[in-house]
Amino acid sequence: MAAPGRTQALAVRSWIFIRDPDFRAKAQRVLDLYACTFEGVPLGEDDYVVSSDEKTSIQARCRCHPALAPGQARAMRVNHEYGRGGGVAYLAAYDVHRAKAFGRCEPKTGIVPFMTLVTQVMTTEPYASAKRVYWIVDNGSSHRGQKAIDRLTSTFPNTVMVHTPVHASWTNQIEIFFSLIQRKVVSPNDFTDLMQIRERLQSFEDRYNATAQPFQWKFTTSDLDDLLPRLNRQTLDRQEESSAQQPS
């Protein structure tokens, strides 16, 4: 029994059903690109793979009392009260085989900010003169569907947009980079203004590009083929449980 006045910890496991009918085909394209292959053909030295997405609403929250650094036996102390200084969206593109990150801050996400990021990357070398640059994106509104594919290739003919399956952002390596941003830049959230956020993001990006190595991505198409039958069985089991719990 929990002590009076304290909340008992609750273990929770969550899941989401696979809803994309083309899940395997889309996931295979992404995973094969990480393994330097596209549609059965090895990538050449003049081919590049870029993973991209947006990290929305990074808030500038100025704490009313300065945060206290952690000690040998004391956790960091962060004042709960804060003043709001607005928010920005951080858009980033990550070259998965060169560990090169490109980022920019925008007032909000959308087609125009995303294409501005694309232009930032595609007007620099080696991407500007590359044979192919594969852009891996999720199904967010900034880059969803065939219209986004056509918009990208009409602006930069040497690009190929590759969508992850629906509800499968875990296949997009940019999410690993964003997890680093969250832990090493954004947390704890204690910024005086938006300029401080921009400066800290830029400083982290510069240091990252000077020292980083590519992520050791180990999940392959073979691993996917081992996983999917188990997921399908679990999906059927969950659906049967949900049906059984419905009132007759």
Side-chain angles (χ1 to χ4, degrees), residues 8-25:
Q8 186 175 10
L10 181 65
V12 176
R13 295 183 67 185
S14 63
W15 74 92
I16 188 168
F17 295 131
I18 293 177
R19 302 184 185 277
D20 193 327
D22 299 320
F23 185 95
R24 189 198 179 281

Side-chain angles (χ1 to χ4, degrees), residues 20-224:
D20 193 327
D22 299 320
F23 185 95
R24 189 198 179 281
K26 292 179 181 178
Q28 179 181 4
R29 296 180 84 199
V30 174
L31 298 176
D32 284 352
L33 281 172
Y34 295 158
C36 297
T37 301
F38 185 71
E39 296 182 344
V41 179
L43 300 185
E45 294 183 357
D46 206 18
D47 293 324
Y48 298 88
V49 179
V50 174
S51 171
S52 180
D53 201 5
E54 304 95 352
K55 185 173 179 60
T56 60
S57 191
I58 300 178
Q59 299 290 320
R61 295 176 177 175
C62 183
R63 303 291 166 173
C64 297
H65 188 282
L68 301 178
Q72 186 173 0
R74 184 188 67 234
M76 175 182 284
R77 299 179 181 180
V78 180
N79 182 231
H80 179 72
E81 293 184 285
Y82 55 84
R84 293 182 180 273
V88 295
Y90 179 63
L91 287 72
Y94 175 76
D95 186 326
V96 302
H97 297 130
R98 298 171 68 234
K100 175 74 172 179
F102 300 83
R104 63 183 302 108
C105 290
E106 296 283 358
K108 60 182 180 179
T109 62
I111 293 174
V112 172
F114 174 71
M115 289 304 298
T116 302
L117 173 69
V118 172
T119 301
Q120 177 182 337
V121 176
M122 295 303 301
T123 54
T124 61
E125 295 295 348
Y127 312 100
S129 58
K131 179 181 178 181
R132 287 287 182 270
V133 181
Y134 297 90
W135 280 76
I136 298 174
V137 296
D138 63 15
N139 297 275
S141 59
S142 303
H143 32 69
R144 180 186 300 155
Q146 188 62 45
K147 288 184 178 181
I149 295 174
D150 295 341
R151 184 166 50 246
L152 183 68
T153 54
S154 64
T155 307
F156 299 101
N158 63 334
T159 58
V160 178
M161 181 173 281
V162 178
H163 286 98
T164 64
V166 176
H167 297 323
S169 291
W170 59 269
T171 60
N172 198 341
Q173 286 198 29
I174 192 66
E175 299 299 338
I176 305 175
F177 181 72
F178 282 160
S179 73
L180 296 175
I181 292 292
Q182 182 63 40
R183 289 182 284 114
K184 296 181 178 295
V185 180
V186 177
S187 299
N189 191 321
D190 189 6
F191 300 102
T192 56
D193 53 35
L194 297 182
M195 181 57 67
Q196 189 179 26
I197 293 178
R198 295 187 179 97
E199 291 174 351
R200 192 176 298 183
L201 285 167
Q202 186 61 60
S203 296
F204 176 81
E205 187 180 313
D206 292 342
R207 180 173 177 80
Y208 184 88
N209 286 334
T211 60
Q213 297 293 323
F215 299 129
Q216 296 183 10
W217 185 273
K218 297 182 179 180
F219 191 84
T220 66
T221 304
S222 296
D223 296 319
L224 180 67

